[in-house]
Amino acid sequence: MENSRYCPSLFNYQRFRTREVMIGNVGFGGDNPIRLQSMTTTDTMDTEGTIAQSIRMIEAGCELVRITAPSKNEAENLANIKAGLREKGYSAPIVADIHFTPNAAEIAAGIVEKVRVNPGNYADKKKFEEIEYTDETYIAELARIRERFTPLVLLCKQNKTAMRIGTNHGSLSDRILSRYGDTPLGMVESAMEFLRICRDHDFHDIVISMKASNAQVMVQAYRLLVNHMMQEGMNYPLHLGVTEAGDGEDGRIKSAVGIGTLLEDGLGDTIRVSLTEAPEAEIPVARMLAERYEKRTGHAVIAEVPTSVNPFEYTRRNSATVLNIGGKNVPRVIMDFSHREEITAASLFAVGCNYSVPLDKWNLTDIACDFIYCGSNKIDFEIPGTLGLIFDRPQWEQHVQKDRCYPIVGIHELTSLPQSDVVFVHASLQDLTEQHIEELKKYNHLVLVLTTSHEHGMAEQRAAFFTLMNAGCETPVIVWRSYNGLNEDRFMLYSATDLGALFIDGLGDGIFLSAPEIPMQRVNSTAFGILQATRTRISKTEYISCPSCGRTLFDLQETTAKIRARTSHLKGVKIGIMGCIVNGPGEMADADYGYVGTGPGKITLYKEKNVVKKNVAEEHAVEELISLIKEHGDWVEMG
Ligand code: SF4
């Protein structure tokens, strides 16, 4: 699809060439490395606290420090913070984070190296109002924004202060929503309006972001932005981030799915990983994501494959149903036990299958895997009723019990297939010759396990999917990846990137992760985490919690942990936990329930976008949230 171009190549890694923007003494975009950044969580009026936290961030490797400036006072205090940092010998540039207050932005533009504005709430309205705009009123409103935004552009130009135009999915203006809805296109148009004003004033020290807490929306919005920039001859550097990603494993996987997917295609000049953790904890995660691409250029060439996949919209590849795989089934998870010396009933505990000896019964969790790959191991116990077993062919042939046991063979064995209801066939892109694809098409009991050992493995597997699609082959495909020599964090981030980038485009009917050095429980939860983050299989509660900043009104980490402890069994329910009422309700976008700080010790609870309980005392707020979930019928007792 020619007009759907959004990166230099879908197959051969190459960074999208952006113009260089200097922020203080640090270059962004162009030939500069991917820069790492984070945001303080202290009160901006607490000068010493903010300086101390900024230093911790800088020492962790943060190259750009963002500080919130909600009003004129905080904007003015940035001068003291900056002076304190420079006095102590830290030269990292500072960004003022602005929402709603042009005055604060104009002050900050004279102090710090960069200001961040959100087109959704800078001089535009965000009152969740549904207003019908005629062409005339829409144009009049745009003219008003131009008038209000121009002074900041001119100030930045005069002071050589850079600007981030940072659009957020959850805080699009009522005007944009009225015309484009809550869509990636609305996000892009919102930024393009501001970009055009900057361009008219010949101001180009701009970085752009398109954040969302939904990784799918986020990826589509960045791709669409680059596509539009290419059409208008622009190439501003990209700041990547998934907003309100949450904490721990979920936060890391969601960030990797969003940020990693774009990095794989060469998009992104700076990264902020938003975790509900200390800001300095975000930097190593951002670094791990970025450093994978330092040597990616120049890999073995992958031949380009034409495609009709629309990168701006989610459509799942058509596949046939084999067993419970492919078709309309949720993607399946295969766990690799082939490297184990033996497999016992107790081994399955780590993959969500718990055997109770007194009850003589299997109890499956929401993240119980669907198949296990046994390799040449034997299984001599009764397996859970929903589990399938995959064996290497010789072991399968010896196995007496064949019920729910399937062989896996190489694609060259297609001409002498074992007599089984279902056969798993492993192959890589190189194996997908015309002849092999024709063989695959002939049988309706095959499941393809797509392997790769290419350095740019995601792209090679993408090429394999496109090859199958172009040949009209609907054999269901399990995406297999193997990871060795990685620690747990790297394993989570890299597998989420490699598989997330495919699932986000509807490519894949299952995940098969092989990582013998990583605890089995982690491998299993990562596989389900990737499917959750790509929204292809929901198996747990989703938390959309903000990373906190100087506006935060309660301890986000502690509160998130408290809410998680009570609600983590509510599969599919999305709970927003936001530090302030100014941005929180907008940022939590598609949450089912919201827990938002409204004042010191006061929480407001939301059902979707509507306030339902105002100013609840913080000590009762979690209980009130639970009551609210019960009232709306989303509560189930813990099993
Ligand atoms: S929602 Fe959270 S991160 Fe965003 S401005 Fe409010 S407190 Fe800060």
Side-chain angles (χ1 to χ4, degrees), residues 39 68 97 99 244 272 545-553 556 577-585 587:
M39 184 168 179
T68 188
D97 197 60
H99 289 265
E244 287 77 41
R272 194 263 166 123
S545 58
C546 81
S548 88
C549 71
R551 280 188 162 117
T552 310
L553 291 158
L556 256 160
I577 307 161
M578 298 288 140
C580 77
I581 195 86
V582 188
N583 295 318
E587 305 283 331

mmCIF file of all heavy atoms in Angstrom, residues 39 68 97 99 244 272 545-553 556 577-585 587, ligand 1:
data_model
loop_
_atom_site.group_PDB
_atom_site.id
_atom_site.type_symbol
_atom_site.label_atom_id
_atom_site.label_comp_id
_atom_site.label_asym_id
_atom_site.label_seq_id
_atom_site.Cartn_x
_atom_site.Cartn_y
_atom_site.Cartn_z
ATOM 1 N N MET A 39 10.697 11.967 34.086
ATOM 2 C CA MET A 39 10.024 13.143 34.658
ATOM 3 C C MET A 39 10.062 13.070 36.179
ATOM 4 O O MET A 39 9.850 11.991 36.748
ATOM 5 C CB MET A 39 8.575 13.139 34.163
ATOM 6 C CG MET A 39 7.793 14.326 34.590
ATOM 7 S SD MET A 39 6.247 14.375 33.674
ATOM 8 C CE MET A 39 5.531 15.844 34.400
ATOM 9 N N THR A 68 7.069 19.247 35.975
ATOM 10 C CA THR A 68 5.753 19.836 35.718
ATOM 11 C C THR A 68 5.704 21.302 36.158
ATOM 12 O O THR A 68 6.285 21.673 37.176
ATOM 13 C CB THR A 68 4.646 19.007 36.408
ATOM 14 O OG1 THR A 68 3.384 19.499 35.980
ATOM 15 C CG2 THR A 68 4.696 19.091 37.922
ATOM 16 N N ASP A 97 6.788 20.901 31.775
ATOM 17 C CA ASP A 97 5.593 20.213 31.282
ATOM 18 C C ASP A 97 4.373 21.093 31.541
ATOM 19 O O ASP A 97 4.055 21.406 32.684
ATOM 20 C CB ASP A 97 5.446 18.884 32.034
ATOM 21 C CG ASP A 97 4.494 17.952 31.311
ATOM 22 O OD1 ASP A 97 4.789 17.611 30.158
ATOM 23 O OD2 ASP A 97 3.459 17.583 31.893
ATOM 24 N N HIS A 99 0.295 22.095 30.950
ATOM 25 C CA HIS A 99 -1.072 21.725 30.557
ATOM 26 C C HIS A 99 -1.947 22.938 30.885
ATOM 27 O O HIS A 99 -1.869 23.451 31.999
ATOM 28 C CB HIS A 99 -1.584 20.546 31.383
ATOM 29 C CG HIS A 99 -0.912 19.253 31.051
ATOM 30 N ND1 HIS A 99 -1.433 18.356 30.155
ATOM 31 C CD2 HIS A 99 0.241 18.719 31.500
ATOM 32 C CE1 HIS A 99 -0.630 17.309 30.073
ATOM 33 N NE2 HIS A 99 0.390 17.506 30.880
ATOM 34 N N GLU A 244 0.771 6.045 31.210
ATOM 35 C CA GLU A 244 0.108 5.271 32.264
ATOM 36 C C GLU A 244 0.281 3.774 32.057
ATOM 37 O O GLU A 244 -0.669 3.007 32.151
ATOM 38 C CB GLU A 244 -1.397 5.615 32.316
ATOM 39 C CG GLU A 244 -1.706 6.965 32.886
ATOM 40 C CD GLU A 244 -1.444 8.121 31.935
ATOM 41 O OE1 GLU A 244 -1.761 7.982 30.754
ATOM 42 O OE2 GLU A 244 -0.896 9.138 32.379
ATOM 43 N N ARG A 272 10.630 7.852 26.678
ATOM 44 C CA ARG A 272 10.305 7.933 28.090
ATOM 45 C C ARG A 272 9.426 6.731 28.414
ATOM 46 O O ARG A 272 8.349 6.565 27.842
ATOM 47 C CB ARG A 272 9.568 9.235 28.404
ATOM 48 C CG ARG A 272 9.498 9.539 29.897
ATOM 49 C CD ARG A 272 8.187 9.096 30.514
ATOM 50 N NE ARG A 272 8.237 9.084 31.963
ATOM 51 C CZ ARG A 272 7.404 9.759 32.755
ATOM 52 N NH1 ARG A 272 6.512 10.537 32.235
ATOM 53 N NH2 ARG A 272 7.483 9.629 34.060
ATOM 54 N N SER A 545 -2.244 3.259 35.350
ATOM 55 C CA SER A 545 -1.883 4.154 36.451
ATOM 56 C C SER A 545 -0.832 5.133 35.982
ATOM 57 O O SER A 545 0.101 4.766 35.265
ATOM 58 C CB SER A 545 -1.402 3.357 37.660
ATOM 59 O OG SER A 545 -0.311 2.555 37.338
ATOM 60 N N CYS A 546 -1.014 6.402 36.370
ATOM 61 C CA CYS A 546 -0.099 7.435 35.878
ATOM 62 C C CYS A 546 1.243 7.308 36.583
ATOM 63 O O CYS A 546 1.338 6.746 37.661
ATOM 64 C CB CYS A 546 -0.715 8.816 36.027
ATOM 65 S SG CYS A 546 -0.579 9.535 37.659
ATOM 66 N N PRO A 547 2.308 7.817 35.968
ATOM 67 C CA PRO A 547 3.635 7.650 36.564
ATOM 68 C C PRO A 547 3.840 8.579 37.762
ATOM 69 O O PRO A 547 4.842 8.457 38.457
ATOM 70 C CB PRO A 547 4.574 8.026 35.420
ATOM 71 C CG PRO A 547 3.782 8.914 34.546
ATOM 72 C CD PRO A 547 2.360 8.495 34.666
ATOM 73 N N SER A 548 2.907 9.512 37.988
ATOM 74 C CA SER A 548 2.947 10.561 39.010
ATOM 75 C C SER A 548 3.931 11.658 38.620
ATOM 76 O O SER A 548 4.835 11.451 37.814
ATOM 77 C CB SER A 548 3.217 10.009 40.415
ATOM 78 O OG SER A 548 4.591 9.909 40.677
ATOM 79 N N CYS A 549 3.679 12.830 39.176
ATOM 80 C CA CYS A 549 4.534 13.986 38.894
ATOM 81 C C CYS A 549 4.315 14.980 40.027
ATOM 82 O O CYS A 549 3.715 14.631 41.045
ATOM 83 C CB CYS A 549 4.168 14.609 37.540
ATOM 84 S SG CYS A 549 2.590 15.477 37.544
ATOM 85 N N GLY A 550 4.745 16.217 39.854
ATOM 86 C CA GLY A 550 4.608 17.208 40.911
ATOM 87 C C GLY A 550 3.159 17.521 41.255
ATOM 88 O O GLY A 550 2.878 18.195 42.248
ATOM 89 N N ARG A 551 2.227 17.057 40.438
ATOM 90 C CA ARG A 551 0.812 17.337 40.710
ATOM 91 C C ARG A 551 0.153 16.239 41.548
ATOM 92 O O ARG A 551 -0.982 16.381 41.973
ATOM 93 C CB ARG A 551 0.049 17.407 39.392
ATOM 94 C CG ARG A 551 0.186 18.694 38.664
ATOM 95 C CD ARG A 551 -0.792 18.680 37.492
ATOM 96 N NE ARG A 551 -1.010 20.003 37.010
ATOM 97 C CZ ARG A 551 -0.682 20.415 35.790
ATOM 98 N NH1 ARG A 551 -0.094 19.595 34.958
ATOM 99 N NH2 ARG A 551 -0.942 21.649 35.420
ATOM 100 N N THR A 552 0.836 15.133 41.707
ATOM 101 C CA THR A 552 0.217 13.956 42.317
ATOM 102 C C THR A 552 -0.226 14.215 43.753
ATOM 103 O O THR A 552 0.504 14.816 44.536
ATOM 104 C CB THR A 552 1.226 12.788 42.298
ATOM 105 O OG1 THR A 552 1.733 12.694 40.987
ATOM 106 C CG2 THR A 552 0.576 11.491 42.687
ATOM 107 N N LEU A 553 -1.435 13.730 44.081
ATOM 108 C CA LEU A 553 -2.009 14.050 45.384
ATOM 109 C C LEU A 553 -2.009 12.882 46.364
ATOM 110 O O LEU A 553 -2.534 13.005 47.463
ATOM 111 C CB LEU A 553 -3.445 14.557 45.173
ATOM 112 C CG LEU A 553 -3.496 15.929 44.478
ATOM 113 C CD1 LEU A 553 -4.827 16.161 43.813
ATOM 114 C CD2 LEU A 553 -3.188 17.043 45.464
ATOM 115 N N LEU A 556 1.128 7.103 44.731
ATOM 116 C CA LEU A 556 0.609 6.275 43.638
ATOM 117 C C LEU A 556 1.046 4.821 43.711
ATOM 118 O O LEU A 556 0.255 3.917 43.460
ATOM 119 C CB LEU A 556 1.068 6.865 42.312
ATOM 120 C CG LEU A 556 -0.051 7.596 41.598
ATOM 121 C CD1 LEU A 556 0.474 8.560 40.595
ATOM 122 C CD2 LEU A 556 -0.994 6.607 40.916
ATOM 123 N N ILE A 577 -5.864 4.760 37.686
ATOM 124 C CA ILE A 577 -5.456 5.294 38.987
ATOM 125 C C ILE A 577 -4.603 6.525 38.685
ATOM 126 O O ILE A 577 -3.474 6.399 38.203
ATOM 127 C CB ILE A 577 -4.653 4.242 39.796
ATOM 128 C CG1 ILE A 577 -5.452 2.926 39.873
ATOM 129 C CG2 ILE A 577 -4.318 4.765 41.194
ATOM 130 C CD1 ILE A 577 -4.620 1.711 40.218
ATOM 131 N N MET A 578 -5.176 7.681 38.913
ATOM 132 C CA MET A 578 -4.558 8.909 38.426
ATOM 133 C C MET A 578 -4.279 9.876 39.571
ATOM 134 O O MET A 578 -5.130 10.094 40.442
ATOM 135 C CB MET A 578 -5.509 9.604 37.437
ATOM 136 C CG MET A 578 -5.807 8.786 36.222
ATOM 137 S SD MET A 578 -4.359 8.702 35.143
ATOM 138 C CE MET A 578 -4.457 7.027 34.650
ATOM 139 N N GLY A 579 -3.114 10.499 39.515
ATOM 140 C CA GLY A 579 -2.663 11.345 40.616
ATOM 141 C C GLY A 579 -3.374 12.671 40.749
ATOM 142 O O GLY A 579 -3.365 13.272 41.828
ATOM 143 N N CYS A 580 -3.984 13.194 39.697
ATOM 144 C CA CYS A 580 -4.611 14.519 39.830
ATOM 145 C C CYS A 580 -5.829 14.644 38.924
ATOM 146 O O CYS A 580 -5.946 13.937 37.918
ATOM 147 C CB CYS A 580 -3.604 15.620 39.514
ATOM 148 S SG CYS A 580 -3.307 15.820 37.756
ATOM 149 N N ILE A 581 -6.687 15.566 39.307
ATOM 150 C CA ILE A 581 -7.943 15.762 38.576
ATOM 151 C C ILE A 581 -7.717 16.597 37.305
ATOM 152 O O ILE A 581 -8.531 16.601 36.404
ATOM 153 C CB ILE A 581 -8.989 16.438 39.510
ATOM 154 C CG1 ILE A 581 -10.403 16.349 38.964
ATOM 155 C CG2 ILE A 581 -8.631 17.881 39.803
ATOM 156 C CD1 ILE A 581 -11.123 15.111 39.317
ATOM 157 N N VAL A 582 -6.571 17.300 37.246
ATOM 158 C CA VAL A 582 -6.340 18.185 36.106
ATOM 159 C C VAL A 582 -6.186 17.360 34.824
ATOM 160 O O VAL A 582 -6.836 17.624 33.815
ATOM 161 C CB VAL A 582 -5.057 19.039 36.327
ATOM 162 C CG1 VAL A 582 -4.920 20.085 35.246
ATOM 163 C CG2 VAL A 582 -5.060 19.668 37.692
ATOM 164 N N ASN A 583 -5.333 16.356 34.889
ATOM 165 C CA ASN A 583 -5.106 15.545 33.689
ATOM 166 C C ASN A 583 -5.639 14.131 33.796
ATOM 167 O O ASN A 583 -5.866 13.483 32.787
ATOM 168 C CB ASN A 583 -3.606 15.449 33.404
ATOM 169 C CG ASN A 583 -3.053 16.785 33.058
ATOM 170 O OD1 ASN A 583 -3.676 17.539 32.323
ATOM 171 N ND2 ASN A 583 -1.913 17.109 33.608
ATOM 172 N N GLY A 584 -5.791 13.668 35.027
ATOM 173 C CA GLY A 584 -6.160 12.273 35.241
ATOM 174 C C GLY A 584 -7.345 11.796 34.423
ATOM 175 O O GLY A 584 -7.227 10.840 33.650
ATOM 176 N N PRO A 585 -8.525 12.444 34.549
ATOM 177 C CA PRO A 585 -9.705 11.921 33.857
ATOM 178 C C PRO A 585 -9.499 11.804 32.352
ATOM 179 O O PRO A 585 -9.946 10.848 31.726
ATOM 180 C CB PRO A 585 -10.794 12.961 34.173
ATOM 181 C CG PRO A 585 -10.311 13.638 35.402
ATOM 182 C CD PRO A 585 -8.819 13.615 35.354
ATOM 183 N N GLU A 587 -6.496 11.468 30.830
ATOM 184 C CA GLU A 587 -5.424 10.528 30.506
ATOM 185 C C GLU A 587 -5.843 9.068 30.655
ATOM 186 O O GLU A 587 -5.246 8.190 30.057
ATOM 187 C CB GLU A 587 -4.210 10.773 31.414
ATOM 188 C CG GLU A 587 -3.682 12.187 31.391
ATOM 189 C CD GLU A 587 -2.874 12.505 30.159
ATOM 190 O OE1 GLU A 587 -2.275 11.601 29.611
ATOM 191 O OE2 GLU A 587 -2.889 13.671 29.744
HETATM 192 S S1 SF4 B 1 -2.330 12.379 35.871
HETATM 193 FE FE1 SF4 B 1 -0.529 11.842 37.143
HETATM 194 S S2 SF4 B 1 1.284 12.230 35.858
HETATM 195 FE FE2 SF4 B 1 -0.480 13.193 34.852
HETATM 196 S S3 SF4 B 1 -0.401 15.313 35.594
HETATM 197 FE FE3 SF4 B 1 -1.777 14.227 37.000
HETATM 198 S S4 SF4 B 1 -0.491 13.467 38.650
HETATM 199 FE FE4 SF4 B 1 0.872 14.111 36.993
#
